[in-house]
Amino acid sequence: AQSVAQPEDQVNVAEGNPLTVKCTYSVSGNPYLFWYVQYPNRGLQFLLKYITGDNLVKGSYGFEAEFNKSQTSFHLKKPSALVSDSALYFCAVRDMTGGYQKVTFGTGTKLQVIP
Amino acid sequence: GAGVSQSPSNKVTEKGKDVELRCDPISGHTALYWYRQSLGQGLEFLIYFQGNSAPDKSGLPSDRFSAERTGGSVSTLTIQRTQQEDSAVYLCASSSWTSGRAGETQYFGPGTRLLVL
C-alpha cells in the first residue's frame, strides 16, 4: 500500500526567509510525486511533480522540490517566502502497481508566512 | 467551461436525507476522482473512475455512499441517509490519464461544502 506523510501540521516562516515543507512517502513501485496548494476558499491547484529524471523539480510561483530516493522524501522548498504563499500544501503520491492510478494525499501542512 | 465544475457549491441538509453531488470534469478527461476533505483533515480518497468504470471503490466510507459516471463525463456522488459525520467538503478532480502515462496532473473543482444538521 502506498502512503504519504507530512509530519508538520503547520510551518511558520518570516517573509523573505527560505521555506521547507516536508513530505515522505512509501510505495512498492516507482513513485510519481506531486505537490498541490490550496489557498483559502479556493480549490486545489497543481504546483509541481516528479516523474523521472532530474531530482530537483521546479514548479509554479518559484517553488521547487527535491526527490530523494534513499530518504524517500520529496520536500517542497522556496528560497524566499512571500506572505501570499500562506496556504495549505498537500503532497501526493501515485503508484502504478496494480495497473491503475490511485493517488494518495498527505494530511496537508499549513504554511504561514509572517510579514 | 475550461475547468472542473461542481454543484451545488453548498448544501445544507437534515440528518437522514439523501443528497446528490455533481461533478462535471474537463472535456476529454477520462479519469475522475472524488475526495472528501474534513475540517482539519487531509484529502480522503473516495472513488476513482476510468471512463465509466470504477476500478477502485475502496475509499467509500460505507454502503450509504455510491457514485456513478455516465457517458464518460458527468459523475454523481450520492449519500443516502446522511449523518452528521458526513459533513465535509467533497472535491472532484479529473485528469487525462491514459495507460502508461501515470504522470498526469489532476485538476480539481471548487468543491461542494456539505453540512448535515
Side-chain angles (χ1 to χ4, degrees), chain B residues 42-76:
Chain B
L43 267 68
E44 177 187 4
F45 170 81
L46 297 179
I47 190 169
Y48 147 68
F49 287 92
Q50 178 64 15
N52 290 336
S53 63
D56 191 347
K57 303 179 182 179
S58 63
L60 294 176
S62 74
D63 59 7
R64 296 187 295 105
F65 288 72
S66 63
E68 65 177 13
R69 188 181 186 196
T70 55
S73 181
V74 172
S75 175
T76 301

Side-chain angles (χ1 to χ4, degrees), chain A residues 5-11 20-23 75 88-89 107-111:
Chain A
Q6 293 182 244
E8 303 153 317
D9 290 336
Q10 181 159 337
V11 170
T20 298
V21 182
K22 296 180 180 177
C23 171
H75 301 330
L88 188 57
Y89 291 80
T107 52
T109 298
K110 183 178 179 181
L111 174 66

Side-chain angles (χ1 to χ4, degrees), chain A residues 32 34 36 38 41-46 49 51 88 90 94 96 99-108, chain B residues 31 33 35 37 41-43 45 48 50 55-56 58 91 95 97 100 102-106 108-110 113:
Chain A
Y32 300 89
F34 304 79
Y36 288 83
Q38 187 176 38
N41 299 315
R42 293 170 63 180
L44 270 80
Q45 298 177 30
F46 169 76
K49 63 184 176 184
I51 304 302
L88 188 57
F90 289 94
R94 171 180 285 154
M96 282 298 290
Y100 56 85
Q101 48 143 23
K102 179 178 177 177
V103 180
T104 300
F105 281 78
T107 52
Chain B
Y33 305 78
Y35 296 91
Q37 185 177 24
Q41 302 293 318
L43 267 68
F45 170 81
Y48 147 68
Q50 178 64 15
D56 191 347
S58 63
L91 295 170
S95 72
W97 180 80
E104 297 293 346
T105 299
Q106 292 182 63
F108 282 82
R113 190 175 300 274

Side-chain angles (χ1 to χ4, degrees), chain A residues 38-115:
Chain A
Q38 187 176 38
Y39 297 103
N41 299 315
R42 293 170 63 180
L44 270 80
Q45 298 177 30
F46 169 76
L47 266 184
L48 51 80
K49 63 184 176 184
Y50 171 82
I51 304 302
T52 186
D54 195 348
N55 289 344
L56 184 64
V57 179
K58 295 187 183 296
S60 306
Y61 312 120
F63 284 91
E64 58 189 28
E66 185 169 12
F67 171 63
N68 187 317
K69 188 173 182 178
S70 63
Q71 297 185 5
T72 61
S73 67
F74 190 56
H75 301 330
L76 181 69
K77 300 181 180 183
K78 186 173 182 179
S80 179
L82 300 173
V83 172
S84 57
D85 292 330
S86 299
L88 188 57
Y89 291 80
F90 289 94
C91 182
V93 66
R94 171 180 285 154
D95 181 1
M96 282 298 290
T97 302
Y100 56 85
Q101 48 143 23
K102 179 178 177 177
V103 180
T104 300
F105 281 78
T107 52
T109 298
K110 183 178 179 181
L111 174 66
Q112 189 73 39
V113 181
I114 304 163

